[in-house]
Each structure stands twice: as C-alpha cells, then as structure tokens.
C-alpha cells in the first residue's frame, strides 16, 4: 500500500510557528494593540470556569472571541489551534468528566505550556482521569494527526483559521472529523474584502490575523463547497486597529471578530415547523441565543424555516426542543427565512450601538474576560 504523504510546513506555517512560539510570550506582546470591545458580559458559569484555569495558560491566551457553544455535557470536542489550552481547560469543565476535549496545535512551545498543567487542572476540577488531550499537528491535516473521521460532536476554534494559508482544506478536514449532526462553532477575524498582496505578504499583519482574515463572503462560499450547511452568524465585534503603521498598510480595509455555527447534516432541507425550547441547557435556562436572528425563549413557540428545522432536529439541540407541525390542515406551510442574516460588519455595528451606555469596562476589560488582541 502506498504511504500517505505527510504534511509539509509552508513558509506561512513556519512564520506563524515562530510568531506564536518565540516572538509572543504573553497576551500583551501582541503588537497591533487591537482589542475586541465586549458587547456583553460573559455568562457567570463561563467566568467561573475561566477562573480555574492556571495563570501560565491564560497569560498566553491569544483568542479573539468566545468559542463556547451550548449543550456541551458529555460531548467530544476538538479545539483547532488550541495554543496554550485556555479554551480546552474551560471546556473540560463544561463537558464534565464523561466528555472529552482534544486540542490540536502545530506550535510545540504553545503545547508545552498546555501539557505542563494537565495534572493541575484535573485535580482542580476533581476528575479521576484527564479528559483533555493535546496533539501536535496541523489544522489542514487532522486525519494525519490520527484524529478519527466522524468522531467529534463539536469543533471549536478561537482566532486560528485566519492564520492558515489554506482555509478550504481546514474546513474540509473539520467536516471530515465531525460526526453527522456535529457543529463547527468558531470565532475568527474577517475582512470586508479580499486583502492586497502587500497586506498578505506582511509577516506581522499575517501573524496578528489581519493578513489572512477571510472576506466573510468567502467563508459562505467555502463552507458550501466542503459540504457544510450555510454558516449561521452568532456574534460580531468591531476590531479597532490602533497601531499607526498597521493602519497605513491596511488602508480602508475593515475587520471584525465574528462567531459562526456551521453544521454537518444529511442533505436536504426539513419542513418549517414550530420549535419550543425546553430551557434545559446549562447557562441558557431562560433563553437560547442561537444566532443573530433567533433567540429562543424557554417554553415559547417559535416558527422556524426548513433550514433551521433541519439543524435543530438533527443535531444535539434536538434534545432541548419539542417540535410541532406548523398547521393542522394541509394549507401550504411556509416560514420565510429572516432577512439580513449574513453581514458581520452590520451586526457588529448594531451590537456596538446596543452596548453603548451599558459597557462593561470597554476594550480590554478584565471584568468581561473577553480577549484583547
Ligand atoms: C492566535 S493563537 C490562538 C490560540 C488559542 N486558540 C487561544 O485562544 O489562545 C493561534 C494558534 O494557532 C496555531 N496555529 C496557527 N496555524 C495553525 C495550523 N495551520 N495548524 C495548527 N495550528 C496552527 C498557532 O500555533 C497558535 O498557537
């Protein structure tokens, strides 16, 4: 049998490894001074979980969002580009001892910090055996890193896909290791257009996430090409570029940090229906913010279109809902998809306006716990 070719570092991979392994040693070393202003405070249970993470780990946090979906108990999660492991250790608590979190990263220096603190965290969480594993490997080659196809319930990622030179391959690999019904829930940086070669070739801009940030419309296209259902936009934050030198090269390009849900489902759309959320998801007892269009209030009837009906009935969220047909008779059943779904720049501005006046300490607020990058 022919041997499989193993993944070879491109110049971009080598530069990024060097940036996150050697150049940056702690969060405040990030040169761009780009901060993601919090639009809302973090839920209490997430803050509590973050408080239990070792400071050596949180000191090397370089994320740009909050990659924590709901309904996690007992799940198998994969974190693409886990870095020093902050999100893995937070999720380790949320999936519980019966769940498992695997972090993959290509940079040994980052993994070294993550691995050093496994025992500390397991003791802190009161687990008899570790429910986290850290794997050295490439997000473009997950199966080559011995991650099994169709084996994860959820994949998360926090500010990493922008660093890959081959986003389509990353999405394809994620699709392949997700179980059917599984969800890729990830926060990343997006641009309002395709960057110039000058921007893409600038090592610092690439390392800081600007050079490789996808034009958000390209994400929609790539997701469809690899087989995911249309991405559902959850949140978005404006990214302000404070650094003058960077501003000069970036010109009129704008950037946001945005979180999307992408589902791997059987082909074909479902029928529109009524969905009633039962309020049983930890941390979302009153309401479940599913995406920027749908927030399900507990015990209330919401009419959903065929696409969302497919997602809710065929993913792990099915256990949190009851479903009813739209109408009893055979009249045509239609729920029009809500308009204005897709633009993270519009959403970020809208959320920024909403949060003005109720800010939780502004950019880099430690109270909010959101990232500064
Ligand atoms: C911006 S940091 C984010 C780390 C972590 N998610 C966090 O929130 O702190 C990016 C991480 O992704 C890793 N990374 C970048 N490109 C990668 C690739 N192609 N394959 C594997 N890891 C990669 C880097 O080594 C680095 O640790």
């Amino acid at each position: 049998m022919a041997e499989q070719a193993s993944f070879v570092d491109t110049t971009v991979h080598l530069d990024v490894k060097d940036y996150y392994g050697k150049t940056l040693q702690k969060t405040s070393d990030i040169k761009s001074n780009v901060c993601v202003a919090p639009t809302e405070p973090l839920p209490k249970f997430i803050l509590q979980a973050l408080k239990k993470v070792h400071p050596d780990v949180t000191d090397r946090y370089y994320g740009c969002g909050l990659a924590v979906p709901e309904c996690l108990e007992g799940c198998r999660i994969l974190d693409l580009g886990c870095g020093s492991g902050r999100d893995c250790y937070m999720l380790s608590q949320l999936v519980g001892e019966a769940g498992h979190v695997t972090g993959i990263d290509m940079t040994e220096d980052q993994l070294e910090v993550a691995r050093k603190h496994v025992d500390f965290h397991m003791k802190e969480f009161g687990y008899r055996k570790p429910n986290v594993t850290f794997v050295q490997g490439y997000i473009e080659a997950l199966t080559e890193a011995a991650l099994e196809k169709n084996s994860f319930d959820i994949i998360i990622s926090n500010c990493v896909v922008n660093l890959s030179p081959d986003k389509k391959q990353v999405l394809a690999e994620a699709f392949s290791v997700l179980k059917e019904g599984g969800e890729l829930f990830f926060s990343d940086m997006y641009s309002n257009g395709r960057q110039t070669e000058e921007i893409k070739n600038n090592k610092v801009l690439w390392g800081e996430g600007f050079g490789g940030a996808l034009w958000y419309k390209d994400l929609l296209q790539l997701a469809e090409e690899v087989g995911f259902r249309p991405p559902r936009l959850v949140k978005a934050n404006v990214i302000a570029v404070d650094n003058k030198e960077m501003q000069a090269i970036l010109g009129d390009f704008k950037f946001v940090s945005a979180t999307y849900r992408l589902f791997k489902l059987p082909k074909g759309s479902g029928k529109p229906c009524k969905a009633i959320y039962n309020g049983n998801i930890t941390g979302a007892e009153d309401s479940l913010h599913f995406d920027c269009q749908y927030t399900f209030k507990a015990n209330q009837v919401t009419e959903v279109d065929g696409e969302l009906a497919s997602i809710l009935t065929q993913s792990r969220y099915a256990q949190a809902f009851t479903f009813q047909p739209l109408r009893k008779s055979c009249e045509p059943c239609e729920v029009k998809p809500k308009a204005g779904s897709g633009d993270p720049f519009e959403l970020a501005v809208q959320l920024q306006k909403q949060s003005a006046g109720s800010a939780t300490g502004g950019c880099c607020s430690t109270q909010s716990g959101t990232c500064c990058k």
Side-chain angles (χ1 to χ4, degrees):
M1 205 163 64
E3 240 179 66
Q4 248 193 330
S6 57
F7 191 85
V8 178
D9 280 300
T10 64
T11 318
V12 169
H13 290 98
L14 294 173
D15 289 344
V16 171
K17 270 185 189 174
D18 195 57
Y19 202 66
Y20 285 95
K22 305 277 183 261
T23 309
L24 305 180
Q25 291 298 313
K26 53 187 182 311
T27 313
S28 56
D29 290 340
I30 291 276
K31 290 182 182 55
S32 57
N33 194 23
V34 169
C35 299
V36 178
T39 50
E40 56 197 33
L42 289 185
K44 210 168 163 192
F45 74 103
I46 293 180
L47 276 177
Q48 276 165 353
L50 281 174
K51 272 191 196 144
K52 291 191 180 171
V53 179
H54 196 286
D56 288 357
V57 168
T58 50
D59 280 355
R60 289 186 74 134
Y61 169 68
Y62 305 120
C64 61
L66 182 68
V68 186
E70 306 77 10
C71 211
L72 297 172
E73 284 95 344
C75 284
R76 282 178 55 80
I77 301 187
L78 173 65
D79 181 1
L80 302 180
C82 61
S84 62
R86 187 198 83 149
D87 289 346
C88 291
Y89 286 123
M90 181 219 317
L91 291 165
S92 151
Q93 299 166 73
L94 304 183
V95 297
E97 203 168 0
H100 192 274
V101 185
T102 303
I104 183 166
D105 204 287
M106 67 179 180
T107 309
E108 278 295 355
D109 309 69
Q110 290 272 73
L111 290 170
E112 205 180 296
V113 178
R115 288 183 178 132
K116 193 172 153 197
H117 298 290
V118 173
D119 288 348
F120 166 88
H121 287 102
M122 296 307 115
K123 214 167 144 200
E124 186 73 15
F125 307 157
Y127 294 169
R128 279 156 299 169
K129 60 180 179 51
N131 73 345
V132 289
T133 313
F134 294 102
V135 177
Q136 198 277 333
Y138 296 85
I139 59 175
E140 300 88 347
L142 299 175
T143 40
E144 204 179 287
L147 302 179
E148 268 179 53
K149 289 188 176 176
N150 305 308
S151 66
F152 291 97
D153 300 293
I154 302 165
I155 298 180
I156 66 131
S157 185
N158 195 345
C159 226
V160 178
V161 179
N162 65 78
L163 297 169
S164 169
D166 190 350
K167 275 85 166 162
K168 184 171 178 184
Q169 178 65 15
V170 174
L171 293 177
E173 284 286 288
F175 187 85
S176 133
V177 302
L178 264 183
K179 293 177 187 171
E180 199 155 87
E183 175 181 17
L184 167 60
F185 183 99
F186 73 119
S187 301
D188 220 307
M189 289 168 66
Y190 293 90
S191 60
N192 62 345
R194 294 195 185 118
Q195 291 89 319
T196 61
E197 288 305 307
E198 187 195 4
I199 295 174
K200 286 197 261 182
N201 291 333
N202 183 302
K203 284 184 190 177
V204 174
L205 284 179
W206 190 283
E208 302 260 326
F210 298 102
L214 264 183
W215 179 33
Y216 73 93
K217 289 190 181 171
D218 280 343
L219 172 73
L220 311 184
Q221 175 71 29
L222 293 179
E224 191 190 334
E225 281 172 23
V226 307
F228 279 111
R229 297 301 268 262
R232 305 195 72 94
L233 176 61
V234 182
K235 286 181 268 206
N237 289 316
V238 173
I239 294 178
V241 184
D242 300 337
N243 181 299
K244 292 270 178 283
E245 279 168 49
M246 287 185 176
Q247 264 178 6
I249 309 174
L250 291 172
D252 290 336
F253 281 101
K254 293 197 169 28
F255 297 86
V256 287
S257 135
T259 305
Y260 283 94
R261 297 181 193 267
L262 273 64
F263 286 89
K264 174 176 174 176
L265 297 179
K267 296 249 177 304
S269 188
K271 282 196 179 130
C273 69
K274 291 177 183 171
I276 303 138
Y277 171 50
N278 62 22
N280 283 351
I281 295 180
T282 307
E285 288 79 4
D286 296 333
S287 64
L288 169 64
H289 176 71
F290 196 74
D291 60 24
C292 60
Q293 297 182 317
Y294 285 92
T295 296
F296 296 100
K297 292 225 162 68
N299 303 315
Q300 282 189 15
V301 175
T302 308
E303 291 192 352
V304 297
D305 60 48
E307 174 62 18
L308 185 51
S310 285
I311 293 172
L312 295 178
T313 54
Q314 297 180 92
S315 66
R316 68 190 188 288
Y317 294 101
Q319 59 187 284
F321 282 87
T322 46
F323 301 97
Q324 291 172 356
L326 269 191
R327 289 174 190 83
K328 288 204 177 83
S329 71
C330 288
E331 332 158 19
C333 301
E334 202 191 345
V335 177
K336 288 207 170 65
K338 294 188 184 180
S341 55
D343 186 338
F345 288 86
E346 274 175 23
L347 179 65
V349 171
Q350 194 185 319
L351 293 176
Q352 201 177 38
K353 279 187 192 151
Q354 276 171 21
S355 73
S358 62
T360 53
C363 199
C364 303
S365 162
T366 47
Q367 192 191 343
S368 77
T370 41
C371 88
C372 269
K373 182 174 166 180

